[in-house]
């Protein structure tokens, strides 16, 4: 069981939902986006050990979902972004281990090169992007520590809320604006609802689990197929919604680095431990369509 947990990056997309689900057991940090009850912490300038000393109640677990997740930013400035994504994260994890709490480091499916999949925890990681290489560097450091630790690799985290950077909510904003969508048919991942991601991570951390776990939805989707599903669900409630959807290859898009094609994750290890019931993508898309387009009448 989690007695009390700190979320470093509690103001982020995943961090906010971790805190919401932890309720009274959780306390979180922010850097540039303050929130009520949050504790200011800039990993570039502050030491987590100082913050841990100031806490009213000691924590048993520390979730670490913070960092620079802008992949193009990491590609442009691998050294500068590694200062946050590698150096400060290792310093944070060092301080967590020093107080005997269990660190839960949030990693990514981008540690894989995209040539296979669905990827298992036992598969060799070969990142082809700076962001994935940074995450793998932290994983390798943590894996060398003797105390109990958890690494949870996520695939795409989604939410139907347009106020988040989850891809379904973002697509809704763009569809509303009539923006044509160029969408890769060959980029395949394991999307999971942000509340499932946060809930499953909390449940896993509350068991005696240690080591590396993959956490993604049970159904692999291409980006194109997931957007097609969303558009179909929107058209059920708002049949005349216009959408221009152009299929392409991921490698046609002008990213600085060649991105991995298939990063779908096998989650048998996670399911053997916690048997999580994931919300299907059809339900997420259907609920988002109803919430965002339900008031629009056809004709
Ligand atoms: N979202 C996804 O689809 C996805 C997929 C795979 C893996 N992941 C991993 O999951 C984790 C969470 O992702 P997310 O989408 O929730 O990211 P996010 O919304 O961008 O949140 C990032 C968090 O990091 C904090 N932060 C940034 N720089 C910091 C610094 N110098 N010191 C302290 N805190 C700092 C931010 O604080 P402020 O906002 O207050 O500045 C924010 O709380 C990340 O590690 C990411 O790599 C996410």
């Amino acid at each position: 069981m989690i007695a009390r947990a700190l979320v470093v990056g509690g103001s982020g997309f995943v961090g906010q939902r971790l805190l919401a689900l932890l309720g009274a057991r959780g306390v979180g940090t922010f850097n540039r986006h303050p929130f009520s009850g949050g504790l200011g912490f800039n990993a570039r300038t502050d030491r987590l050990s100082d913050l841990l000393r100031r806490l009213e109640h000691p924590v048993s677990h520390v979730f670490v979902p913070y960092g620079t997740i802008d992949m193009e930013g990491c590609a442009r400035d691998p050294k500068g972004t590694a200062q946050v994504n590698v150096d400060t994260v290792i310093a944070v994890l060092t301080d967590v281990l020093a107080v005997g709490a269990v660190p839960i480091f949030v990693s990514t499916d981008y540690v894989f090169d995209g040539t296979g999949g669905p990827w298992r925890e036992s598969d060799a990681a070969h990142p082809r992007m700076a962001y994935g290489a940074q995450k793998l560097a932290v994983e390798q450091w943590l894996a060398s520590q003797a105390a109990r630790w958890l690494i949870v690799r996520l695939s795409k985290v989604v939410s139907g809320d347009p106020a988040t950077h989850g891809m379904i909510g973002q697509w809704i904003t763009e569809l509303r604006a009539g923006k044509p969508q160029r969408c890769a048919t060959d980029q395949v991942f394991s999307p999971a609802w942000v509340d499932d991601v946060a809930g499953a991570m909390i449940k896993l951390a509350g068991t005696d689990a240690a080591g590396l776990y993959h956490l993604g939805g049970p159904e692999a989707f291409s980006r194109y197929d997931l957007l097609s599903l969303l558009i179909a669900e929107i058209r059920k409630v708002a049949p005349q919604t216009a959408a221009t959807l152009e299929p392409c290859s991921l490698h046609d898009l002008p990213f600085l680095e060649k991105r991995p094609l298939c990063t779908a994750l096998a989650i048998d290890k996670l399911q053997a431990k916690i048997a999580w019931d994931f919300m299907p993508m059809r339900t997420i898309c259907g609920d988002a369509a109803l919430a965002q387009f339900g008031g629009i009448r056809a004709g």
Side-chain angles (χ1 to χ4, degrees), residues 5-240:
L6 175 67
V7 180
V8 185
S11 51
F13 175 43
V14 173
Q16 284 180 32
R17 298 317 298 158
L18 281 167
L19 283 175
L21 297 179
L22 283 163
R25 293 177 297 163
V27 60
T29 74
F30 63 84
N31 180 29
R32 286 179 305 159
H33 300 99
F35 60 94
S36 168
L39 308 167
F41 175 72
N42 180 350
R44 282 188 186 275
T45 51
D46 304 333
R47 243 354 252 246
L48 195 76
S49 52
D50 296 332
L51 186 144
L52 289 167
R53 259 195 300 276
R54 290 199 315 270
L55 288 178
E56 204 179 325
H57 306 286
V59 290
S60 56
H61 295 74
V62 179
F63 292 89
V64 183
Y66 83 89
T68 301
I69 70 161
D70 165 17
M71 294 170 210
E72 291 297 276
C74 293
R76 251 189 316 273
D77 180 15
K79 275 198 179 149
T81 51
Q83 284 169 9
V84 173
N85 285 352
V86 181
D87 301 349
T88 76
V89 175
I90 288 177
V92 160
L93 294 169
T94 301
D95 291 349
V96 174
L97 292 169
V99 296
V102 180
I104 301 103
F105 171 60
V106 183
S107 188
T108 174
D109 54 352
Y110 276 49
V111 297
F112 294 112
D113 63 10
T115 57
W119 299 93
R120 314 185 77 81
E121 290 83 351
S122 52
D123 290 329
H126 294 292
R128 56 195 308 171
M129 300 169 60
Y131 166 74
Q134 291 170 356
K135 290 288 191 179
L136 185 62
V138 176
E139 286 190 10
Q140 287 170 341
W141 180 87
L142 192 52
S144 71
Q145 304 303 303
R148 182 182 164 211
W149 49 264
L150 275 165
I151 295 167
V152 181
R153 287 184 186 145
L154 308 182
S155 188
K156 285 276 177 291
V157 184
V158 306
S159 161
D161 180 355
T164 71
H165 64 230
M167 69 194 332
I168 291 174
Q170 289 296 305
W171 278 332
I172 286 174
T173 303
E174 291 174 5
L175 288 168
R176 275 194 188 291
K179 194 171 163 200
Q181 299 293 322
R182 214 165 158 226
C183 215
T185 52
D186 54 1
Q187 183 189 19
V188 177
F189 42 72
S190 302
W193 182 38
V194 64
D195 277 38
D196 282 334
V197 166
M201 247 195 283
I202 291 168
K203 187 170 180 187
L204 182 68
T207 68
D208 60 354
L212 171 64
Y213 282 83
H214 286 176
L215 199 182
E219 262 180 301
F221 273 85
S222 73
R223 185 178 276 261
Y224 183 89
D225 287 343
L226 187 56
L227 179 52
S228 300
L229 175 65
L230 175 63
I231 292 170
E233 291 298 317
I234 290 172
R235 285 186 173 147
K236 283 185 189 166
V237 292
Q240 291 188 336

